[in-house]
Amino acid sequence: MGSRNAAAVALAVLSWIFRLAAIALCLIVIVLCFSGLVAKLNIVGFIVDLSRALPAAIAGWGVIASPFGGVFRFDFALVALACFILDYVCQRASRLVR
């Protein structure tokens, strides 16, 4: 019984990590749509590092100019969606294990 609880807790923690990563990526996508915010927050270097961390198959894919002077990063949005899906899967698995 103890190992099942440990697995459930581990899956719940992993679920929270995926959820926080997805929310952070969503916020980054929104901030990138406004060029003034990117300049004020000085996050260009962080965005470049984050782009390099993405798989080569989707890195830079779907970069669309926004009407607010920034860009919409579809690749970041896809990774955020994948993190939300993994969050859901881990949450369901955690409930099944208990």
Side-chain angles (χ1 to χ4, degrees):
M1 187 70 174
S3 64
R4 289 179 67 117
N5 282 340
V9 169
L11 284 169
V13 168
L14 194 60
S15 171
W16 273 101
I17 291 170
F18 281 130
R19 186 175 304 162
L20 291 176
I23 291 170
L25 280 170
C26 288
L27 290 174
I28 288 171
V29 168
I30 292 169
V31 166
L32 286 174
C33 287
F34 303 97
S35 64
L37 287 176
V38 174
K40 283 183 182 179
L41 295 174
N42 196 15
I43 59 171
V44 175
F46 175 70
I47 299 302
V48 170
D49 292 338
L50 194 58
S51 295
R52 289 182 184 154
L54 292 177
I58 64 168
W61 187 70
V63 178
I64 303 167
S66 76
F68 306 110
V71 293
F72 176 78
R73 297 286 307 251
F74 190 66
D75 53 351
F76 287 179
L78 282 176
V79 173
L81 178 66
C83 285
F84 276 126
I85 291 171
L86 288 171
D87 164 42
Y88 176 75
V89 168
C90 287
Q91 195 74 317
R92 294 290 295 184
S94 173
R95 288 184 187 150
L96 283 175
V97 170
R98 287 181 199 204

